[in-house]
Amino acid sequence: MKKTSPILILLLLVYCVNANAQFGKLKEALNNAAGSVLNSKQLKLLQSDPITTNFDDCNKTETMPVNFGADSVKKKLCDLTSSYTPAQGFTLKPGFYTGTFKSFCLKAGTHGPGNGDGYLFAPLAGPKETIARTLIANWEQHTEIEQSKVQLLLWAIIAKTNFSKLSPDLQLVAAKLLNKNDLSALSSSIMDYLSSEAMLKITNNLPEPAKTIVEIENKMRGLLYQANSSYDQIERLAMLAGTAEPNTDFPRGIWGLHPDGYYIKYLPHSYTRTEVVIYVPKTVASVNYLPVGTVAVPASRGSQRLGQSNLLVCEN
């Protein structure tokens, strides 16, 4: 009699969806037999979300309408770079300010920013938050590194990729931006590319959009493990075509209250560039604005969460 393939055991693996988490964060619902195909560490990696920041983390009650401050004079942050420090950021007194910063996609398998998407502030969070924050923050000291390389490393983190299997070029970039402990932690992951048959079994009972995201992350791992794969190939996987349905309760340009007492609106030009407008009320003496570690989170849960960097885009 033909021996039954152990992969069939994966039929016993069932995923549950937490409706309160963006895209349905997966809960553990495992059978002991599943461990004979994927070990417990692999199963945990497959279900985990390295970056968990989502719209539930945003302050949705203390907002101001899109047209607030429309006629105000806004100081350009590009004119205030002399007062900027990597530790404190920009020290801002009461008034309006604007600037455009380089940003990153923090969720693969989602749509790019749409014209109707409203974004609110939330802090970077999740099991790999510290490493992702360090990666983006240290890029400020290595601007010779292309933004696309940093994005690839962030996608590698999001896709639960084993960093020791990345291309030599990406490993070299990672070594410049992260310390040995960070690299060791990212290389201890043992999530490999899974075959189509295995993915079919795993995602059989998984609802959308979690199913699509799990499949895309697996395909991204496959490309990231190939030395000759291109950025465009991986970007096409990470970025779904078209735009997500906007949440009309939070239109593009809505103001959100930051925990430090100022208001901020996010106007993404793309996932790589985010324009911010800041309002510091007269009741606040001054605030420090340091973008790194913050996320512009879309009200439309099908759009990309945008991790902010400290690199300001200024016209020469």
Side-chain angles (χ1 to χ4, degrees):
M1 183 174 68
K2 186 176 179 181
K3 185 177 180 180
T4 302
S5 170
I7 199 67
L8 295 178
I9 300 173
L10 281 173
L11 283 168
L12 300 175
L13 179 59
V14 180
Y15 287 87
C16 297
V17 175
N18 180 350
N20 293 325
Q22 189 174 18
F23 309 113
K25 184 179 178 182
L26 305 179
K27 287 183 176 180
E28 186 171 0
L30 306 176
N31 186 291
N32 290 335
S36 64
V37 180
L38 296 177
N39 63 42
S40 60
K41 191 172 184 179
Q42 288 175 314
L43 292 170
K44 223 177 237 189
L45 281 170
L46 194 63
Q47 296 170 38
S48 68
D49 225 349
I51 302 298
T52 60
T53 306
N54 64 78
F55 198 56
D56 295 331
D57 300 319
C58 298
N59 180 348
K60 297 180 280 291
T61 59
E62 297 178 280
T63 62
M64 292 196 297
V66 173
N67 60 359
F68 172 78
D71 298 330
S72 63
V73 176
K74 300 172 181 65
K75 296 179 181 178
K76 294 182 179 180
L77 293 176
C78 284
D79 295 334
L80 304 176
T81 54
S82 60
S83 63
Y84 168 86
T85 67
Q88 299 293 325
F90 295 89
T91 299
L92 306 178
K93 295 181 179 181
F96 289 85
Y97 302 84
T98 184
T100 298
F101 293 83
K102 296 183 179 181
S103 54
F104 296 94
C105 164
L106 294 180
K107 187 65 180 180
T110 50
H111 297 278
N115 291 331
D117 287 335
Y119 285 76
L120 294 175
F121 159 86
L124 191 63
K128 294 295 186 288
E129 172 267 327
T130 301
I131 295 178
R133 180 195 294 260
T134 300
L135 184 69
I136 297 172
N138 288 348
W139 181 45
E140 186 177 0
Q141 309 304 320
H142 293 277
T143 53
E144 77 279 2
I145 296 174
E146 296 175 5
Q147 183 174 357
S148 59
K149 298 290 180 64
V150 183
Q151 179 65 76
L152 285 174
L153 291 176
L154 287 168
W155 278 333
I157 291 173
I158 292 163
K160 312 161 185 81
T161 306
N162 186 333
F163 267 48
S164 66
K165 294 185 178 181
L166 295 176
S167 68
D169 179 44
L170 277 182
Q171 288 194 49
L172 182 61
V173 173
K176 287 184 178 181
L177 300 176
L178 299 171
N179 62 37
K180 290 182 179 180
N181 290 336
D182 292 334
L183 293 172
S184 177
L186 292 170
S187 297
S188 65
S189 303
I190 51 175
M191 199 70 245
D192 289 320
Y193 172 76
L194 300 174
S195 69
S196 298
E197 181 185 4
M199 287 304 297
L200 181 63
K201 304 300 183 184
I202 289 171
T203 61
N204 188 46
N205 294 317
L206 199 61
E208 294 290 356
K211 178 179 179 180
T212 296
I213 291 173
V214 169
E215 292 172 340
I216 285 174
E217 287 180 353
N218 184 58
K219 291 177 181 177
M220 289 176 70
R221 284 194 297 274
L223 287 175
L224 285 163
Y225 291 149
Q226 296 175 20
N228 62 345
S229 60
S230 69
Y231 182 84
D232 288 344
Q233 287 177 293
I234 298 172
E235 183 186 49
R236 281 195 294 271
L237 281 174
M239 305 275 294
L240 296 183
T243 58
E245 186 70 26
N247 182 340
T248 54
D249 291 334
F250 299 90
R252 178 178 172 85
I254 191 171
W255 291 88
L257 180 64
H258 189 277
D260 290 343
Y262 61 88
Y263 286 85
I264 184 167
K265 68 163 66 182
Y266 295 99
L267 301 168
H269 297 173
S270 67
Y271 74 91
T272 63
R273 298 285 189 278
T274 302
E275 180 183 351
V276 300
V277 186
I278 298 167
Y279 167 62
V280 182
K282 293 180 180 179
T283 53
V284 179
S286 67
V287 300
N288 291 322
Y289 179 62
L290 188 67
V292 73
T294 68
V295 183
V297 184
S300 170
R301 295 177 183 265
S303 296
Q304 292 180 357
R305 298 172 284 188
L306 304 175
Q308 302 298 299
S309 82
N310 292 340
L311 278 99
L312 190 58
V313 180
C314 298
E315 297 292 335
N316 293 328

